[in-house]
Amino acid sequence: MKTFVYMVRHGESPKTEGNERTRGLTDKGQSDTYRITELLKGEEIEVFVSSPYQRAILTIQELARCAGQEIVVFEDLKERIFSNEDSRMPDKELIPLLEKSFSDPNFALTGGESNIVCQSRAIAVLKELLTIHHGRRIGLGTHGAVMTLMMGYYDKQYDLDFLMHTSKPDVYRMEFDDQALVEVKRLWSIR
Ligand SMILES: O=C(O)[C@H](O)COP(=O)(O)O
């Protein structure tokens, strides 16, 4: 029996407001949540889980509401901690850090996580979800780096280049046969 995981990367978030945990969505990010709902409401997703970060929860909230389901938050689905959770790392620092991290998966800044540490904690959750919700459809509110690391665990094509070509929001449907990934389809299209 197939299990489907819908990776929903959050929409646009204000970069200067709140901290990593609390910043929400911009007006565009908010309006994209309705597009996500339209796109996915026919998929009959019954289980909703998310990163604990507001921007990820808010992106799937309307879809979960339409499905009459609660969102279950998993701390270990949060975005990779690049240096700390207090503020967003500027892109001019983030991009070199990502380049270094994808060539050395054990590399971490002081106070931050490596790719390997982030991947291990998120994959532990995903494997548990695939077991508990075997045969069901799971919507997962996520972020660029942790999503790429989860997808890359199953298929090496999901690497830094993939991450750099993703959008906010973005949606990928992963089809599993038990714990094995059989297919990935991008469902989001950029207008
Ligand atoms: O999905 C992501 O890349 C992270 O959550 C960072 O999002 P941001 O560009 O809003 O900081």
Side-chain angles (χ1 to χ4, degrees):
M1 199 186 286
K2 300 292 168 56
T3 307
F4 291 87
V5 177
Y6 296 78
M7 291 285 184
V8 183
R9 187 196 191 180
H10 64 82
E12 191 180 270
S13 173
K15 295 182 176 168
T16 50
E17 193 182 277
N19 61 30
E20 278 304 276
R21 218 165 254 276
T22 61
R23 65 193 166 84
L25 298 173
T26 62
D27 289 347
K28 179 180 183 306
Q30 182 56 39
S31 80
D32 279 340
T33 69
Y34 297 104
R35 273 188 69 198
I36 286 171
T37 303
E38 281 307 305
L39 179 71
L40 296 181
K41 70 181 184 201
E43 298 279 326
E44 298 180 346
I45 301 174
E46 317 156 85
V47 177
F48 291 86
V49 299
S50 180
S51 152
Y53 292 1
Q54 276 304 305
R55 59 193 186 275
I57 297 171
L58 291 172
T59 298
I60 60 167
Q61 200 165 57
E62 177 62 14
L63 178 63
R65 194 191 62 76
C66 285
Q69 300 293 337
E70 297 293 322
I71 300 170
V72 180
V73 164
F74 287 85
E75 183 64 22
D76 282 345
L77 290 179
K78 69 186 171 191
E79 179 59 311
R80 180 180 158 200
I81 299 174
F82 298 112
S83 61
N84 63 63
E85 287 184 296
D86 295 336
S87 58
R88 183 185 189 272
M89 181 177 266
D91 286 342
K92 69 175 189 326
E93 291 170 38
L94 182 60
I95 290 168
L97 171 62
L98 287 172
E99 284 165 354
K100 194 156 186 184
S101 304
F102 275 84
S103 60
D104 175 5
N106 289 301
F107 179 77
L109 293 175
T110 308
E113 292 177 304
S114 65
N115 269 7
I116 283 288
V117 167
C118 173
Q119 184 182 54
S120 305
R121 54 138 166 104
I123 282 296
V125 176
L126 185 51
K127 285 185 172 176
E128 188 188 334
L129 292 170
L130 290 172
T131 301
I132 296 171
H133 300 296
H134 182 244
R136 302 174 86 187
R137 291 170 182 259
I138 305 162
L140 192 156
T142 189
H143 307 266
V146 68
M147 175 183 80
T148 301
L149 292 170
M150 284 190 277
M151 293 170 75
Y153 174 83
Y154 296 98
D155 185 338
K156 297 280 177 262
Q157 73 170 284
Y158 301 106
D159 57 9
L160 180 59
D161 189 55
F162 166 79
L163 171 57
M164 293 304 193
H165 287 90
T166 55
S167 58
K168 276 176 257 177
D170 214 335
V171 182
Y172 296 86
R173 184 178 64 203
M174 302 175 78
E175 180 182 337
F176 289 88
D177 192 353
D178 292 325
Q179 294 280 337
L181 180 66
V182 286
E183 193 185 15
V184 175
K185 187 163 185 225
R186 187 182 195 185
L187 301 183
W188 184 257
S189 56
I190 302 159
R191 277 184 183 158

